[in-house]
Amino acid sequence: MKKLLLALALGLSTAASAHAQAANYAGAWTLDMARSHGLPPYYSQVKSHRLDITQDAAHLDVGVQVDILGHTDSLSFVYNLDGSETDTQTSIRMQNGPVPVPTKLKAAVTDGGMHITIARTIPMGDHPFTGVTTEDWSLSADGRTLTVHRVDDSPRGQMVADMVFSKD
């Protein structure tokens, strides 16, 4: 009986740890604008949007390059895969150019892929605004398509987009 309980406990812990492992998102990805839906209007001026992702057991490192009107915005987001929050600084494009803002990053492995939260404190006169972006990532069965369901809360309201990336 003890052996049966031990085997059952080991089986459950193995299943739980396998269940909690993140899918492998590593690689270079290019946004397929034709297959994406709900992109913000400024995407009509975007020439390309790329993700360069590296990943290990502890971190997901996402490099983002967006070529808009001949300028390339490059950002880097490093997420802890243990679900802990990271305090960092990222840039946002304002009327006078890029502005660094305090940012909190969090990633959580889910059954369907990954849930990411990006919270940025944006200067707005005397009343800073915390804009929150959530992303739910899922990979196709062959691992060649990354779909990102993105929700942005901003002073202008909520924007929802489904962004489809193809692996290079």
Side-chain angles (χ1 to χ4, degrees):
M1 184 65 162
K2 286 182 184 180
K3 287 182 182 181
L4 177 61
L5 290 174
L6 180 60
L8 182 58
L10 284 174
L12 288 174
S13 69
T14 302
S17 63
H19 172 75
Q21 289 181 346
N24 185 357
Y25 298 100
W29 301 86
T30 301
L31 179 67
D32 184 338
M33 288 193 228
R35 292 175 52 202
S36 299
H37 303 283
L39 295 175
Y42 68 85
Y43 266 81
S44 66
Q45 301 170 356
V46 170
K47 183 177 179 181
S48 68
H49 181 154
R50 294 185 38 83
L51 305 177
D52 291 307
I53 301 173
T54 57
Q55 180 178 345
D56 60 29
H59 301 97
L60 179 72
D61 188 343
V62 182
V64 180
Q65 298 83 38
V66 178
D67 183 349
I68 182 167
L69 296 174
H71 300 284
T72 300
D73 289 337
S74 296
L75 301 166
S76 179
F77 300 89
V78 179
Y79 301 94
N80 296 321
L81 292 177
D82 65 3
S84 63
E85 192 172 71
T86 301
D87 287 320
T88 189
Q89 197 172 66
T90 60
S91 291
I92 60 169
R93 182 166 289 283
M94 302 287 276
Q95 289 178 341
N96 297 331
V99 174
V101 296
T103 305
K104 293 181 181 292
L105 304 174
K106 188 172 182 178
V109 177
T110 65
D111 283 342
M114 183 79 63
H115 179 78
I116 289 176
T117 304
I118 304 166
R120 295 180 182 98
T121 303
I122 302 165
M124 299 190 72
D126 294 336
H127 305 286
F129 175 82
T130 299
V132 177
T133 298
T134 59
E135 297 180 347
D136 289 297
W137 291 20
S138 61
L139 282 177
S140 61
D142 66 0
R144 306 288 308 160
T145 303
L146 169 62
T147 301
V148 177
H149 177 75
R150 182 177 172 130
V151 178
D152 287 295
D153 287 321
S154 75
R156 296 181 187 144
Q158 190 176 76
M159 292 187 294
V160 178
D162 288 308
M163 305 173 85
V164 179
F165 293 86
S166 299
K167 198 165 197 176
D168 295 346

